[in-house]
Amino acid sequence: MISAIEAAREQFADEVVTRALSRDVELPYGAGKAVLITLDNGHDHTKPNTFGPAGLLSLNEAIDAAAARTDIVAVAITGKPFIFAVGADLNGVPKIQNREQAHAIGKLGHDVFRKLGELHVPTFAFINGAAMGGGVEVALHCTYRTVSSGVPAFALPEVFLGLVPGWGGTYLLPNLIGAEKALKLIIDNPLAQNKTIKGPQVYEMGIADAIFEPADFLEESLRWAAKVVTGEITVERPEVDKGEAWDQAVATARWTVDAKLHGASPAAVRAIDLVAEAKNRTRDEGFAAEDEALADLILSDQLRAGLYAFDLVQKRARRPKGAPDKSLARPVTKVGIIGAGLMASQLALLFARRLEVPVVMTDLDQERVDRGVRYVHDEVDKLLAKGRVNSDKANRIKALVTGSLSYEAFADADFVIEAVFEEMSVKKTVFAKAEEHISPEAVLATNTSSLSISEMAADLKHPERVVGFHFFNPVAVLPLLEIIRGERTDDATLATAFAVAKQLKKTAVLVKDAPAFVVNRLLTLFMGEVLSSVEEGTEPEVADRAVAPLGLPMSPLMLLQLVGPAVALHVAETLHAAFPDRFRVSEQLKAMVEAGKTTIYAPDFTIDPEVRAFFTGGDSPKSEEEILNRALEALAREIKIMLDEGVVAEPADIDLCMITGAGWPFHLGGITPYLDRTGISEKVNGVRFHPDGLKAL
């Protein structure tokens, strides 16, 4: 095994090694001596512990040293402050050249971790902080587990990236807590934007045997372990149902994955297969099957795509391309919001929660203002009920948000954002009124989804302080924030916008002042191709289903319902005015809006019969394959034009926008590498977006 690790280390030359540091501790109550292994890579919590070959070697040596001792009664493993371990070191994975090397990586983890379940003394995992992937799996190999109630994130995210939990997760977890709960962590959560659970849920699900508060977590865990060793505490776990319940959970997971992804994620299918077979396999058989799965998936296009997407959201998102020096940013001590509708109210809640500064909303009448403030208070109450904020924080947030009918309330605001009707004349009017009352340095931000920032600012005394600040709905869920620089936006304004975005915990991308910016431009084009096929005679259900192989979070017609036909029409008209040869306005959509239709679906999720009546005509129906190819080719052409126009700096920015703003599937990587991979880029543009392949960001 050691030679295998040494061979693998060549692929991980830049590994930040997580060392396994051992020390003896005397357990309370006279229970005896234990070895406590602490995982620590020598950095603070901003650089979490990971497992590469050298880290596995260090842990292997620590376990072997403990195994050779006859004077100990237990071995425990924990992490550095705030971090247990977050899984495998993925930096070396792209350098793996063949299946043999990939297989070795999987086997190394098993060979080291399984020793924790095979020692002559009981082993304990004290999960003190964030635990993901291999960090969860090393804990599963232990005999017992405790968890801190303060653990902020616990997950098996491998399927999200294009892998499976391959160091014991698909075998040990279902055999510990049952297939249904295990598949929630292995399949459901990764496919729900990589959702994580917290410490209390880890205990409630039966993964941990005991839970303690963060302040004295290690001390309490050692006391608990001592009582287990002496027999004072006997851990009893519910028997896992390996009959119909297991099979039903697997069947449900298969149906969910097929409905969501339509075969677009081989890793999800492979993970379900492993859980299904874990019911009857031995430990050796289960681990060997995981090794084979990792060997196949590590070399897959899906993993390469997933790692590229992961790098985008973890690295590029933290260093926005083209952002001015952050030292130019001005402090924001109060925020003004023009409008008190749904979007404005969502913004008020976000600014109050994240910036913790006063937020004042204004609108045309007191009723609207009161409704906006009431929305914020109701949402805060929901957060309180879910335990997302405590009562003190809830009261502070509510106190920060107020309403006013006068723009004079913005006099001492440093950042004023409008969220009013998407009409240029309306936005110019409210900005002109606001400018009469705010200081010359205050930022004027617009949440427009498609209109020109430069035109909006043209008639103001200080056009240099106007910036686009485009959020995506729902504001609390989608991370993307398109920051748009107008022709006269100055660096201080732009720097302030990026600083505020960071405080809001949003992924900010700098975008040129171009019609509909990035996401809406591409989604409008994509949806337009689908609607065009309907006008040509394709049944709407067929057209809607055509893009299913991509595994998008929602179909085009569902997206149309979410956005709203009127908004979709407005954006389409804006883009048609700017680029009449590439963007057309659907006559069916126009008629639908003129008829006052605001939704697409009936309550039973079939197309509303009244809406369906608009989807008629045409005598040239298209096949699903034709529609999908046409839509993807249109996207490839438009992305090339956008890059040539300098709408964003690089293809990676297009990808980051689509992943974080449109829900482009993580397992497909970015949209540009996907178009490269499928040959569409070269077919349409004669060149790939990434001619030299995907590079580290």
Side-chain angles (χ1 to χ4, degrees):
M1 182 193 64
I2 300 302
S3 60
I5 290 181
E6 293 296 348
R9 288 177 74 173
E10 296 179 10
Q11 309 299 327
F12 291 78
D14 298 327
E15 176 184 353
V16 176
V17 180
T18 296
R19 310 242 173 236
L21 309 175
S22 298
R23 64 185 175 98
D24 288 357
V25 293
E26 285 292 337
L27 295 176
Y29 316 121
K33 186 180 297 181
V35 172
L36 177 64
I37 299 172
T38 301
L39 302 173
D40 193 340
N41 63 5
H43 296 265
D44 66 17
H45 66 281
T46 61
K47 200 171 190 68
N49 297 327
T50 56
F51 292 112
L56 289 172
L57 177 59
S58 178
L59 180 58
N60 184 67
E61 291 173 349
I63 297 172
D64 281 351
R69 295 178 61 173
T70 59
D71 62 331
I72 60 172
V73 296
V75 172
I77 185 168
T78 193
K80 66 183 183 181
F82 309 110
I83 301 290
F84 185 68
V86 298
D89 179 353
L90 298 174
N91 291 325
V93 170
K95 301 175 186 175
I96 294 173
Q97 300 298 314
N98 55 56
R99 196 177 190 281
E100 183 180 4
Q101 292 174 346
H103 188 275
I105 292 295
K107 192 170 186 303
L108 294 177
H110 279 128
D111 289 346
V112 174
F113 288 178
R114 69 180 301 163
K115 292 181 178 182
L116 289 166
E118 298 167 355
L119 286 180
H120 62 289
V121 294
T123 52
F124 298 82
F126 299 154
I127 307 169
N128 64 303
M132 299 181 193
V136 170
E137 289 171 302
V138 74
L140 291 174
H141 281 270
C142 292
T143 321
Y144 306 101
R145 285 156 295 281
T146 67
V147 67
S148 167
S149 62
V151 167
F154 183 99
L156 288 170
E158 287 84 355
V159 165
F160 185 64
L161 293 172
L163 285 172
V164 298
W167 284 343
T170 66
Y171 181 83
L172 296 174
L173 188 60
N175 279 294
L176 175 67
I177 62 174
E180 182 179 2
K181 288 191 284 187
L183 285 166
K184 182 174 180 62
L185 286 182
I186 294 170
I187 299 294
D188 295 351
N189 286 1
L191 296 183
Q193 295 296 308
N194 207 20
K195 181 181 177 182
T196 64
I197 63 174
K198 299 182 185 297
Q201 294 168 284
V202 176
Y203 175 67
E204 291 162 8
M205 292 182 76
I207 301 170
D209 303 301
I211 184 168
F212 302 109
E213 293 300 311
D216 54 357
F217 172 71
L218 182 58
E219 292 83 354
E220 288 299 319
S221 292
L222 289 169
R223 290 189 187 97
W224 183 84
K227 291 180 180 179
V228 172
V229 168
T230 60
E232 183 178 339
I233 290 178
T234 300
V235 174
E236 296 181 359
R237 300 181 180 127
E239 184 178 351
V240 171
D241 187 337
K242 292 194 174 184
E244 184 179 345
W246 190 296
D247 296 336
Q248 183 57 49
V250 169
T252 300
R254 290 194 194 283
W255 182 87
T256 300
V257 166
D258 184 61
K260 280 187 175 182
L261 305 176
H262 306 278
S265 175
V269 175
R270 195 69 175 265
I272 295 172
D273 290 343
L274 288 168
V275 171
E277 293 156 358
K279 181 174 75 167
N280 298 314
R281 280 177 167 157
T282 64
R283 178 180 290 222
D284 287 346
E285 290 169 341
F287 291 175
E290 288 181 341
D291 290 341
E292 294 299 317
L294 285 181
D296 292 337
L297 293 169
I298 282 176
L299 296 174
S300 69
D301 284 340
Q302 185 193 349
L303 178 60
R304 295 296 193 273
L307 292 177
Y308 169 74
F310 184 75
D311 268 357
L312 285 176
V313 299
Q314 293 294 317
K315 296 179 181 178
R316 193 177 188 88
R318 294 176 184 170
R319 297 187 294 272
K321 198 78 171 181
D325 191 315
K326 60 184 180 182
S327 66
L328 297 174
R330 301 188 185 103
V332 172
T333 60
K334 182 178 178 179
V335 173
I337 299 179
I338 305 174
L342 179 58
M343 176 58 80
S345 300
Q346 290 183 71
L347 296 182
L349 175 61
L350 179 68
F351 277 97
R353 282 192 72 193
R354 300 296 188 211
L355 270 61
E356 298 184 345
V357 300
V359 177
V360 59
M361 290 190 287
T362 187
D363 214 313
L364 297 175
D365 55 58
Q366 193 64 47
E367 182 182 351
R368 297 186 199 201
V369 171
D370 291 344
R371 187 163 57 240
V373 174
R374 187 165 58 249
Y375 171 90
V376 174
H377 287 199
D378 289 345
E379 290 300 306
V380 172
D381 287 338
K382 292 176 186 177
L383 293 171
L384 179 62
K386 293 176 182 177
R388 301 278 298 278
V389 296
N390 59 34
S391 57
D392 287 343
K393 182 68 176 290
N395 289 333
R396 285 201 303 273
I397 295 172
K398 289 180 181 180
L400 288 172
V401 180
T402 59
S404 173
L405 291 179
S406 171
Y407 282 49
E408 292 178 3
F410 297 157
D412 55 346
D414 308 295
F415 192 97
V416 176
I417 183 168
E418 68 77 22
V420 298
F421 185 68
E422 190 74 349
E423 178 67 47
M424 180 61 76
S425 61
V426 175
K427 293 182 184 290
K428 292 186 80 166
T429 297
V430 298
F431 267 1
K433 289 180 179 179
E435 192 174 41
E436 294 176 7
H437 299 281
I438 61 176
S439 70
E441 292 80 24
V443 170
L444 276 175
T446 169
N447 186 46
T448 181
S449 59
S450 61
L451 300 177
S452 169
I453 311 303
S454 301
E455 182 181 348
M456 208 176 296
D459 300 330
L460 296 176
K461 298 173 185 175
H462 294 283
E464 72 280 357
R465 45 107 160 267
V466 178
V467 65
F469 214 61
H470 180 216
F471 290 87
F472 289 79
N473 197 19
V475 171
V477 176
L478 291 175
L480 180 63
L481 184 54
E482 291 178 332
I483 295 183
I484 303 98
R485 182 171 203 159
E487 291 177 3
R488 298 173 68 178
T489 307
D490 64 21
D491 284 349
T493 296
L494 200 62
T496 303
F498 274 99
V500 170
K502 185 175 182 179
Q503 287 180 276
L504 295 175
K505 299 184 179 180
K506 292 295 182 182
T507 297
V509 176
L510 180 61
V511 180
K512 181 182 177 181
D513 188 11
F517 317 124
V518 175
V519 173
N520 283 347
R521 181 163 167 177
L522 293 177
L523 286 183
T524 300
L525 181 69
F526 191 68
M527 191 185 301
E529 293 297 331
V530 173
L531 292 178
S532 291
S533 72
V534 174
E535 290 190 336
E536 292 164 2
T538 307
E539 289 294 314
E541 291 85 355
V542 173
D544 201 38
R545 196 168 57 237
V547 303
L550 296 176
L552 296 169
M554 62 183 68
S555 71
L557 292 185
M558 290 184 70
L559 177 62
L560 181 59
Q561 169 143 319
L562 176 68
V563 171
V567 173
L569 176 63
H570 175 76
V571 177
E573 289 174 336
T574 299
L575 284 162
H576 175 69
F579 313 116
D581 56 328
R582 303 196 306 277
F583 289 83
R584 60 182 301 277
V585 177
S586 165
E587 292 301 319
Q588 294 178 341
L589 178 61
K590 190 174 183 180
M592 199 184 310
V593 172
E594 289 174 350
K597 301 304 295 184
T598 58
T599 60
I600 305 298
Y601 292 96
D604 63 356
F605 288 102
T606 59
I607 295 176
D608 184 330
E610 293 183 11
V611 171
R612 208 179 196 294
F614 291 103
F615 292 142
T616 57
D619 56 4
S620 181
K622 300 295 185 290
S623 69
E624 292 180 27
E625 184 178 1
E626 287 176 317
I627 296 168
L628 177 59
N629 286 337
R630 190 168 78 176
L632 291 174
E633 288 175 9
L635 287 177
R637 277 191 294 271
E638 196 64 27
I639 291 171
K640 175 68 163 55
I641 292 170
M642 291 167 70
L643 291 169
D644 290 344
E645 292 175 349
V647 175
V648 291
E650 297 171 1
D653 292 314
I654 296 276
D655 297 327
L656 184 57
C657 284
M658 292 299 285
I659 289 169
T660 58
W664 179 264
F666 209 86
H667 56 266
L668 295 183
I671 189 170
T672 62
Y674 174 80
L675 294 170
D676 283 354
R677 221 165 40 243
T678 53
I680 293 173
S681 302
E682 287 180 279
K683 177 184 175 182
V684 172
N685 300 321
V687 64
R688 296 163 66 94
F689 290 110
H690 304 270
D692 301 320
L694 297 177
K695 302 297 183 183
L697 298 175

